[in-house]
PDB file of all heavy atoms in Angstrom:
ATOM      1  N   VAL A 117      78.478  68.000 131.885  1.00  0.00           N
ATOM      2  CA  VAL A 117      79.675  68.859 131.658  1.00  0.00           C
ATOM      3  C   VAL A 117      80.785  68.413 132.566  1.00  0.00           C
ATOM      4  O   VAL A 117      80.535  68.157 133.825  1.00  0.00           O
ATOM      5  CB  VAL A 117      79.297  70.334 131.843  1.00  0.00           C
ATOM      6  CG1 VAL A 117      80.527  71.200 131.891  1.00  0.00           C
ATOM      7  CG2 VAL A 117      78.304  70.804 130.748  1.00  0.00           C
ATOM      8  N   ALA A 118      82.006  68.381 132.075  1.00  0.00           N
ATOM      9  CA  ALA A 118      83.128  68.206 132.981  1.00  0.00           C
ATOM     10  C   ALA A 118      84.031  69.305 132.891  1.00  0.00           C
ATOM     11  O   ALA A 118      84.368  69.758 131.654  1.00  0.00           O
ATOM     12  CB  ALA A 118      83.871  66.896 132.688  1.00  0.00           C
ATOM     13  N   LEU A 119      84.514  69.883 133.886  1.00  0.00           N
ATOM     14  CA  LEU A 119      85.531  70.961 133.895  1.00  0.00           C
ATOM     15  C   LEU A 119      86.884  70.381 134.137  1.00  0.00           C
ATOM     16  O   LEU A 119      87.084  69.575 135.089  1.00  0.00           O
ATOM     17  CB  LEU A 119      85.292  72.065 135.019  1.00  0.00           C
ATOM     18  CG  LEU A 119      83.890  72.745 134.894  1.00  0.00           C
ATOM     19  CD1 LEU A 119      83.780  73.778 135.978  1.00  0.00           C
ATOM     20  CD2 LEU A 119      83.629  73.359 133.559  1.00  0.00           C
ATOM     21  N   LYS A 120      87.937  70.696 133.207  1.00  0.00           N
ATOM     22  CA  LYS A 120      89.169  69.993 133.438  1.00  0.00           C
ATOM     23  C   LYS A 120      90.303  71.092 133.445  1.00  0.00           C
ATOM     24  O   LYS A 120      90.411  71.917 132.482  1.00  0.00           O
ATOM     25  CB  LYS A 120      89.379  69.090 132.203  1.00  0.00           C
ATOM     26  CG  LYS A 120      90.536  68.212 132.326  1.00  0.00           C
ATOM     27  CD  LYS A 120      90.377  67.195 131.175  1.00  0.00           C
ATOM     28  CE  LYS A 120      91.698  66.324 131.085  1.00  0.00           C
ATOM     29  NZ  LYS A 120      92.734  66.977 130.210  1.00  0.00           N
ATOM     30  N   GLU A 121      91.042  71.016 134.408  1.00  0.00           N
ATOM     31  CA  GLU A 121      92.225  72.043 134.566  1.00  0.00           C
ATOM     32  C   GLU A 121      93.347  71.522 133.646  1.00  0.00           C
ATOM     33  O   GLU A 121      93.744  70.428 133.725  1.00  0.00           O
ATOM     34  CB  GLU A 121      92.783  72.044 135.962  1.00  0.00           C
ATOM     35  CG  GLU A 121      91.833  72.782 137.079  1.00  0.00           C
ATOM     36  CD  GLU A 121      91.830  74.243 136.943  1.00  0.00           C
ATOM     37  OE1 GLU A 121      92.676  74.891 136.254  1.00  0.00           O
ATOM     38  OE2 GLU A 121      90.908  74.882 137.539  1.00  0.00           O
ATOM     39  N   ILE A 122      93.758  72.430 132.854  1.00  0.00           N
ATOM     40  CA  ILE A 122      94.950  72.133 131.894  1.00  0.00           C
ATOM     41  C   ILE A 122      96.116  72.698 132.638  1.00  0.00           C
ATOM     42  O   ILE A 122      96.235  73.894 132.975  1.00  0.00           O
ATOM     43  CB  ILE A 122      94.815  72.751 130.555  1.00  0.00           C
ATOM     44  CG1 ILE A 122      93.377  72.475 129.969  1.00  0.00           C
ATOM     45  CG2 ILE A 122      95.949  72.434 129.728  1.00  0.00           C
ATOM     46  CD1 ILE A 122      93.302  71.092 129.470  1.00  0.00           C
ATOM     47  N   GLU A 123      97.156  71.842 132.911  1.00  0.00           N
ATOM     48  CA  GLU A 123      98.338  72.307 133.575  1.00  0.00           C
ATOM     49  C   GLU A 123      99.468  72.636 132.543  1.00  0.00           C
ATOM     50  O   GLU A 123      99.555  71.914 131.461  1.00  0.00           O
ATOM     51  CB  GLU A 123      98.848  71.264 134.447  1.00  0.00           C
ATOM     52  CG  GLU A 123      97.919  70.662 135.469  1.00  0.00           C
ATOM     53  CD  GLU A 123      97.493  71.659 136.647  1.00  0.00           C
ATOM     54  OE1 GLU A 123      98.228  72.731 136.749  1.00  0.00           O
ATOM     55  OE2 GLU A 123      96.384  71.488 137.235  1.00  0.00           O
ATOM     56  N   GLY A 124     100.223  73.668 132.826  1.00  0.00           N
ATOM     57  CA  GLY A 124     101.491  73.789 132.109  1.00  0.00           C
ATOM     58  C   GLY A 124     101.514  74.785 130.917  1.00  0.00           C
ATOM     59  O   GLY A 124     102.405  74.942 130.216  1.00  0.00           O
ATOM     60  N   LEU A 125     100.321  75.538 130.680  1.00  0.00           N
ATOM     61  CA  LEU A 125     100.355  76.538 129.559  1.00  0.00           C
ATOM     62  C   LEU A 125     100.815  77.900 130.219  1.00  0.00           C
ATOM     63  O   LEU A 125     100.106  78.810 130.188  1.00  0.00           O
ATOM     64  CB  LEU A 125      98.962  76.642 128.971  1.00  0.00           C
ATOM     65  CG  LEU A 125      99.016  77.383 127.607  1.00  0.00           C
ATOM     66  CD1 LEU A 125      99.764  76.616 126.576  1.00  0.00           C
ATOM     67  CD2 LEU A 125      97.619  77.766 127.146  1.00  0.00           C
TER      68      LEU A 125
END
Side-chain angles (χ1 to χ4, degrees):
V117 170
L119 301 182
K120 186 166 173 280
E121 289 285 345
I122 308 288
E123 305 293 342
L125 193 69

